[in-house]
Amino acid sequence: QVQLVESGGGLVQAGGSLRLSCATSGRTFRTYSMGWFRQAPGKERQFVANINRSGDSTYYADSVKGRFTISRDNAKNTVYLQMSSLKPEDTAIYYCAVRIHLGTYGYWGQGTQVTVSS
């Protein structure tokens, strides 16, 4: 029903920036809140950011607050994660997801690798 494809990951030095994109298809994009998560090898999946369906409300994990910005373009069915001041501890596979119910994310993309070197 809903498909998501992340892109924009890569290798960047500490202090650098990247912008991740998540293109969606299937169900009407503007119906859902969207989230970004990340997972490093051997670690649990971690919440990063969320944006509501209209794009006027956002929420961030403390670890990325002030450095990352989530946004969306409903006309393009795309959600973004602008990352700046990147740190080695930001290294992970980043996934976008659909918030199906309050506090529950049900659809996931394939992920895009972000590697931050020191």
Side-chain angles (χ1 to χ4, degrees), residues 50-92:
N50 183 82
I51 188 167
N52 73 335
R53 60 181 182 174
S54 63
D56 60 359
S57 181
T58 58
Y59 183 78
Y60 299 92
D62 288 341
S63 59
V64 306
K65 193 174 300 182
R67 300 188 297 120
F68 291 11
T69 301
I70 187 172
S71 62
R72 67 193 296 162
D73 187 338
N74 287 344
K76 296 181 178 180
N77 295 327
T78 302
V79 62
Y80 305 95
L81 185 69
Q82 178 66 50
M83 306 183 295
S84 61
S85 301
L86 284 163
K87 306 174 181 180
E89 48 264 48
D90 294 319
T91 296

Side-chain angles (χ1 to χ4, degrees), residues 3-7 21-25 36 78 96 108-111:
Q3 296 183 358
L4 307 92
V5 179
E6 300 96 334
S7 63
S21 298
C22 176
T24 69
S25 62
W36 283 98
T78 302
C96 61
W108 301 86
Q110 85 290 346

Side-chain angles (χ1 to χ4, degrees), residues 36-52:
W36 283 98
F37 293 77
R38 64 188 183 185
Q39 187 168 24
K43 300 182 68 176
E44 294 184 356
R45 186 175 60 202
Q46 180 185 45
F47 169 79
V48 175
N50 183 82
I51 188 167
N52 73 335

Side-chain angles (χ1 to χ4, degrees), residues 27-33 52-54 72 74 98-99:
R27 189 69 178 271
T28 302
F29 175 69
R30 60 178 54 87
T31 300
Y32 301 103
S33 293
N52 73 335
R53 60 181 182 174
S54 63
R72 67 193 296 162
N74 287 344
V98 179
R99 194 171 73 184

